[in-house]
Amino acid sequence: MPRAERSAQVDEAADAKRREHQRELARKAQEAGLERYAGTEGAKNGTAQKTFKRFESYKRENQFPSKVKDLTIVVDAKNSTVVLPIMGRPVPFHINTIKNASKNDEGEFTYLRINFLSPGQGVGRKDDQPFENPVAQFVRNFTFRSKDADRMQDISVQITELKKNALRREQEKKEMEDVVEQTKLIEIRNRRPPRLPEVYVRPATDGKRVPGELEIHQNGLRYQSPLRAEQRVDVLFNNIKHLFFQPSLHELIVIIHVHLKNPIVIGKKKTKDVQFYREATDIQFDETGNRKRKHRYGDEEEFEAEQEERRRRAALDKEFKAFAEKISEAGRSENVSVDIPYRKLGFNGVPFRASVFLQPTGDCLVQLTEPPFLVVTLEEVEVTHLERVRFGLKNFDLVLVFKDYNRVPAHINTIPVEHLEGVKDWLDSVNIPFSEGPLNLNWSTIMKTVSADPFQFFRDGGWSVLGVDSDEEESGSSDAESAFTISESELAASDESSEDDSEFDEDASADEEDAMSVDDESAGEDWDELEKKAKKKDRESGLDDAEKGQKKKR
């Protein structure tokens, strides 16, 4: 058997085996979904509901600003309150109850309009403000009139700034709500702790960028900057989710990367990834005092430099790998283990804005070379979908849907189509069901439907709507095509109807046949016969004699 046919049969067998495995994974995912959400029928299914918030400006009347006695509009930035004069009494309104303020000039008067939050005002996503009693009577706005335009302008600016500051504080509080306060690091006092010198940290600490030391202590890691003693980063073993070592092969740096369970704050920035690295280029280790390098530029010098570069990189990888294993050994009680990316299984893609090289590991899909980093835990992924998979396109997209439906699916866009089979094989090897389609899907709408009632979603077929069983659909379409057959009686009836409906008569078809026969006869003659016929016609017309007479005169 030829080698090409043998390899084709192997590929077909492997493809059939993969399809069978994917069917089994899809079935298991469907059963697991029905079992997990059984008995949770109904909207939201236990997801967190937004609750009504109460805001208190003042506890007692003597806490009011003294200016309220004048019955004017007072903006109290300290208590985040706007005091409005209503029917001869100062009435406080917390800034979180105010939607916005606007000023309008009409003639000699200036109008200040203060709009309040109330049910039914928002459109789409914005209409999620909870109220204690939505059917109660609400004041939508107040309008104040004055001849002092500057005073109204000043109040409008103050309310707008107060609202901006309140929104910013709320946003910062929301961002930091999942940041946990780590327990204190227990330092090793009786002996020198294991250290890795001359390493940089990302995200960088405040101040000048200088290399520091990474130390292993009893319950965690400490990165110490040489500039200031308080400039340090502590990472505890009980907060480490994944530990990675990435060698310097085909890279400019060698990396020890820590992915955390809960984010920490480094240099006023919240992060779940802390990276320690050292540069592996010539710039880091160049001997500037070696004068021989200035005079020798031959092939021998280049060969020596390449050999020295390989030795240096190998020593650097060995040092970092040994230190990563020491970290794993020290954090064994917290299940900390070292994971190394498989570069052979890597592929290019765009998880954020730039195209980067992504690499699978034993437990994750990572990109650790350039920030922002990407670490996707495969155990948290339920299904994946390959978008824009169709003939003629050079790229496709990968969407990873997590088991937590409130989490936004991860998108890796613009993957070269050459990696399609490799990505499919990798997903199948880690037991993740995948589907494929020719179009990009609206995932925000899909996830909103799924999270609204997961049990109903799985009862309606679950992720099979994405085409997880695409091979069954193909076989179904082929069965439908084979079922579309025409009987002999129908074929005869169609022939008769086509003859009756013909617009051409028999004479026209006969003339057409005569013309075609003449063309066929002429097409059957060779060049010699055609040339003889042409000369014969020339003699009959007298052209041949005229040509001979002209030749004699010459």
Side-chain angles (χ1 to χ4, degrees):
M1 183 183 293
R3 184 180 299 176
E5 292 183 9
R6 193 161 56 245
S7 63
Q9 287 184 1
V10 171
D11 291 342
E12 289 178 3
D15 194 36
K17 186 177 179 181
R18 187 177 66 193
R19 285 200 303 269
E20 182 64 30
H21 187 222
Q22 282 297 308
R23 276 198 296 270
E24 180 67 19
L25 292 175
R27 184 185 62 78
K28 288 181 179 178
Q30 175 71 9
E31 291 176 356
L34 287 171
E35 183 179 353
R36 183 172 28 159
Y37 294 105
T40 58
E41 198 168 354
K44 300 299 179 185
N45 283 313
T47 56
Q49 297 280 344
K50 292 193 175 183
T51 57
F52 176 75
K53 293 182 180 179
R54 291 182 176 274
F55 304 102
E56 191 174 42
S57 299
Y58 309 104
K59 292 184 177 180
R60 292 179 296 275
E61 287 189 9
N62 57 8
Q63 293 178 339
F64 277 71
S66 57
K67 294 180 182 179
V68 299
K69 296 178 182 178
D70 301 332
L71 291 179
T72 58
I73 300 175
V74 178
V75 180
D76 185 4
K78 183 180 178 181
N79 295 296
S80 300
T81 301
V82 179
V83 184
L84 303 177
I86 300 175
M87 299 179 67
R89 290 182 61 85
V91 181
F93 293 91
H94 197 276
I95 191 63
N96 287 331
T97 65
I98 296 174
K99 186 178 180 182
N100 54 37
S102 61
K103 182 185 73 74
N104 188 27
D105 296 325
E106 292 184 9
E108 60 178 347
F109 291 102
T110 299
Y111 293 86
L112 177 67
R113 181 171 177 174
I114 300 174
N115 299 308
F116 295 93
L117 293 170
S118 59
Q121 277 188 321
V123 178
R125 296 179 184 175
K126 295 182 180 180
D127 193 15
D128 58 355
Q129 177 72 25
F131 291 91
E132 190 174 27
N133 185 10
V135 297
Q137 299 293 324
F138 285 83
V139 176
R140 285 288 179 92
N141 59 73
F142 283 122
T143 303
F144 296 88
R145 186 180 71 172
S146 174
K147 290 185 178 181
D148 191 351
D150 295 336
R151 163 76 175 156
M152 289 296 186
Q153 175 66 24
D154 186 44
I155 292 172
S156 177
V157 170
Q158 288 184 46
I159 294 174
T160 303
E161 287 298 319
L162 194 62
K163 185 67 178 175
K164 284 182 181 178
N165 294 336
L167 289 174
R168 188 176 67 250
R169 285 195 301 270
E170 191 71 23
Q171 187 68 25
E172 290 175 356
K173 184 180 177 182
K174 190 175 181 181
E175 286 180 0
M176 297 297 178
E177 65 183 2
D178 56 346
V179 176
V180 296
E181 189 69 27
Q182 295 189 116
T183 56
K184 287 188 177 181
L185 185 77
I186 303 174
E187 299 182 39
I188 296 176
R189 298 287 186 182
N190 54 357
R191 59 183 173 83
R192 181 184 175 90
R195 293 182 179 177
L196 184 65
E198 298 294 321
V199 294
Y200 296 92
V201 63
R202 290 196 289 196
T205 55
D206 295 333
K208 189 177 179 182
R209 179 180 174 270
V210 292
E213 286 188 339
L214 180 62
E215 302 174 346
I216 302 176
H217 290 275
Q218 291 186 27
N219 64 335
L221 307 174
R222 168 167 287 179
Y223 173 82
Q224 181 64 59
S225 172
L227 296 179
R228 293 193 299 271
E230 66 273 8
Q231 200 170 37
R232 60 194 181 195
V233 178
D234 292 344
V235 178
L236 301 185
F237 291 140
N238 59 8
N239 196 27
I240 295 179
K241 189 174 183 180
H242 299 291
L243 174 66
F244 302 102
F245 160 68
Q246 180 172 295
S248 60
L249 182 66
H250 303 293
E251 302 289 351
L252 299 177
I253 57 177
V254 58
I255 295 168
I256 291 177
H257 188 97
V258 178
H259 183 67
L260 305 176
K261 298 176 184 176
N262 300 301
I264 61 174
V265 178
I266 300 178
K268 299 180 181 178
K269 292 182 180 178
K270 185 182 77 170
T271 181
K272 287 188 76 173
D273 293 278
V274 184
Q275 187 176 105
F276 309 99
Y277 71 97
R278 189 188 295 171
E279 295 175 356
T281 57
D282 281 333
I283 301 172
Q284 182 76 7
F285 302 91
D286 189 16
E287 305 91 353
T288 55
N290 190 355
R291 295 184 179 180
K292 292 181 181 180
R293 299 174 71 91
K294 298 180 181 178
H295 304 290
R296 293 197 301 168
Y297 296 101
D299 295 338
E300 184 180 346
E301 174 71 13
E302 290 183 6
F303 180 74
E304 289 180 5
E306 289 177 2
Q307 291 291 99
E308 180 63 26
E309 175 78 10
R310 290 196 194 97
R311 285 193 295 268
R312 188 165 54 241
R313 283 178 176 265
L316 197 58
D317 292 344
K318 185 178 179 181
E319 181 184 5
F320 268 67
K321 185 177 181 181
F323 195 81
E325 289 173 350
K326 289 180 181 178
I327 296 173
S328 175
E329 183 69 23
R332 189 193 305 172
S333 59
E334 300 292 341
N335 297 322
V336 177
S337 60
V338 185
D339 208 355
I340 302 175
Y342 301 120
R343 190 172 183 87
K344 291 182 179 180
L345 300 178
F347 54 90
N348 291 303
V350 183
F352 300 106
R353 291 186 178 180
S355 178
V356 292
F357 188 71
L358 299 107
Q359 304 175 77
T361 69
D363 301 319
C364 304
L365 176 64
V366 301
Q367 189 284 121
L368 309 176
T369 307
E370 294 292 335
F373 307 116
L374 176 72
V375 178
V376 178
T377 306
L378 299 180
E379 191 179 353
E380 298 173 356
V381 177
E382 184 163 291
V383 294
T384 58
H385 184 65
L386 307 172
E387 298 181 326
R388 296 195 300 133
V389 179
R390 62 171 181 260
F391 181 76
L393 291 183
K394 296 182 179 180
N395 303 299
F396 67 96
D397 304 331
L398 172 64
V399 182
L400 300 106
V401 182
F402 299 101
K403 294 177 182 177
D404 180 8
Y405 298 146
N406 295 317
R407 189 174 169 186
V408 179
H411 292 255
I412 301 172
N413 302 322
T414 323
I415 304 173
V417 75
E418 295 83 25
H419 297 294
L420 179 60
E421 291 302 316
V423 170
K424 286 182 178 180
D425 290 338
W426 166 65
L427 290 172
D428 190 65
S429 66
V430 294
N431 296 327
I432 295 179
F434 66 84
S435 57
E436 60 182 81
L439 302 174
N440 291 105
L441 303 178
N442 188 348
W443 285 99
S444 60
T445 305
I446 292 173
M447 297 313 298
K448 194 179 292 184
T449 304
V450 175
S451 59
D453 194 349
F455 182 69
Q456 184 63 39
F457 170 74
F458 279 101
R459 199 161 56 180
D460 292 341
W463 298 110
S464 61
V465 296
L466 300 178
V468 176
D469 260 337
S470 57
D471 53 340
E472 288 186 1
E473 293 175 7
E474 291 174 3
S475 62
S477 61
S478 62
D479 293 342
E481 288 173 2
S482 61
F484 184 71
T485 55
I486 303 177
S487 62
E488 293 182 0
S489 58
E490 290 175 347
L491 185 61
S494 63
D495 290 340
E496 290 175 4
S497 62
S498 62
E499 288 175 3
D500 295 339
D501 295 338
S502 176
E503 296 180 359
F504 297 98
D505 56 2
E506 294 180 358
D507 296 335
S509 60
D511 295 340
E512 201 172 46
E513 287 176 1
D514 294 340
M516 289 176 65
S517 63
V518 171
D519 292 340
D520 292 340
E521 288 175 3
S522 61
E525 296 174 354
D526 58 5
W527 284 105
D528 294 335
E529 293 177 356
L530 292 172
E531 191 174 356
K532 287 179 183 178
K533 285 184 179 181
K535 285 182 179 181
K536 186 178 179 181
K537 288 183 180 180
D538 290 340
R539 282 196 299 270
E540 291 175 356
S541 60
L543 292 174
D544 195 20
D545 296 337
E547 288 179 2
K548 288 180 180 179
Q550 289 178 1
K551 286 180 181 180
K552 287 179 180 179
K553 287 179 182 179
R554 289 177 184 174

